[in-house]
Amino acid sequence: MTETNDRMVPWEVFVQPRAGAPHEHAGNVHAADAEMALQNARDVYARRGNVVSIWVVPAAAIHASRPEDTGPFFDPADDKPYRHPSFYKVPHGTRNI
Amino acid sequence: MTLDALDTATKTALFEYLLRLGDDALILGHRLSEWCGHGPYLEEDIALANIALDCLGHANALLGLAGEVEGAGQSADDLAFFRDAIEFRNVQLVELPRGDFAFTIARQFLFSAYAHLLYEGLRESTFEPLAGIAAKAYKEVSYHLRHSSEWMLRLGDGTDESHRRTQQALNDLWMYTGELFEADDVLHALVEAGIAPDVPAARSRWKDMVTTVLEAATLQLPPEPPYMASGGRTGFHTEHLGHLLAEMQFLPRAYPDATW
């Protein structure tokens, strides 16, 4: 296995297990462009599972929160329980709200 | 149409035909499997191994059916591992050593375009077990064609070196493509019976498919060579097949009762 060419960049892979379900992060692949990323994702993440759709996103296009953001970024919601959707009755049989 | 409905002459032709298809898939699958652990990068290593497994799956189904049609109690494994080179019916194209990555991709592209035509037609076979195998294989070879076509574009329209290597591979491989479209009595009889598609008649479609991709990839269609390789269908092979079989068949021949 030789060194990965510097034209190859990481892509994040999201797969959808069935129609209507959310695309979930599956992992990443190296590829030089979108079509190659899609094919690599298909070979690495979709071959053995039930997958109906794949998204590939250049890893560089994802702007993410930093680990040290945990406190100031997320804490304020903790003391405002009325923001949590836990006071509603969910109709029987409803999933994926 | 089921097996019982076939007359003896048709069964004989069908057995021969299934060996051709099964051997093409088996030998190409083995050549692809030689990339396992040697792929240019991890994802492509996995992709080539996946395609190799698809091909071995086709070989398993086709040779298994060949054994049933022959009716002499041979399994797919018997046919794969206990025949000598002269009894193999694959085209010489698939037995050539894997070469560099460009050679492997160019061969896969040329073969997958042919296999796409073949299985597309075979889905309509009047022999139901074969139509069933073809329906599944068609989806897989469609992906093989897409995968190899995309690589042809990137290698052909890539760097000077990738372009040069891919053009060289095409030029070297072209004389082995004639065999894919040879017609003989076996094929004529099966086409007549609606069991096999007339792939030789679709040769210009194949050439159009290939040409479209090559043009987009800035590659040249090789000139028609003065000589097209021939003989694989009747057991005449290059010196490479014997070496391939020696490796592929070693274990079952040394340990005939081995299971895994």
Side-chain angles (χ1 to χ4, degrees), chain A residues 30 33 35-36 43 47, chain B residues 43 47 50 54 143 146 154:
Chain A
H30 285 88
D33 56 49
E35 171 65 23
M36 197 195 281
D43 278 312
R47 194 163 186 271
Chain B
E43 289 86 340
N50 282 343
D54 287 344
Y143 175 69
R146 177 173 168 178
R154 283 163 184 75

Side-chain angles (χ1 to χ4, degrees), chain A residues 13-36:
Chain A
V13 179
F14 299 82
V15 300
Q16 188 185 34
R18 60 189 178 281
H23 283 73
E24 288 170 1
H25 188 237
N28 48 47
V29 293
H30 285 88
D33 56 49
E35 171 65 23
M36 197 195 281

Side-chain angles (χ1 to χ4, degrees), chain B residues 201-233:
Chain B
R203 188 173 187 170
S204 63
R205 253 188 81 201
W206 174 82
K207 201 167 174 183
D208 288 345
M209 286 162 74
V210 169
T211 306
T212 305
V213 174
L214 293 193
E215 278 176 2
T218 73
L219 294 162
Q220 302 289 321
L221 198 67
E224 284 307 316
Y227 166 76
M228 275 285 183
S230 180
R233 299 303 192 203

Side-chain angles (χ1 to χ4, degrees), chain B residues 95-174:
Chain B
E95 72 201 33
L96 302 172
R98 67 181 164 98
D100 60 11
F101 185 62
F103 187 91
T104 287
I105 290 296
R107 166 171 48 198
Q108 193 62 40
F109 167 64
L110 296 171
F111 185 86
S112 296
Y114 153 81
H116 192 260
L117 284 177
L118 170 71
Y119 288 113
E120 181 186 62
L122 262 186
R123 293 180 304 169
E124 312 297 325
S125 174
T126 54
F127 184 51
E128 283 142 20
L130 190 49
I133 293 171
K136 180 169 180 290
Y138 177 70
K139 291 182 201 162
E140 293 176 346
V141 299
S142 299
Y143 175 69
H144 302 170
L145 180 59
R146 177 173 168 178
H147 177 268
S148 53
S149 298
E150 291 292 337
W151 267 117
M152 290 301 284
L153 297 176
R154 283 163 184 75
L155 294 173
D157 198 14
T159 65
D160 288 345
E161 186 181 4
S162 71
H163 179 93
R164 179 181 59 75
R165 286 185 182 228
T166 312
Q167 185 66 55
Q168 186 64 50
L170 279 171
N171 296 348
D172 292 345
L173 283 162
W174 202 253

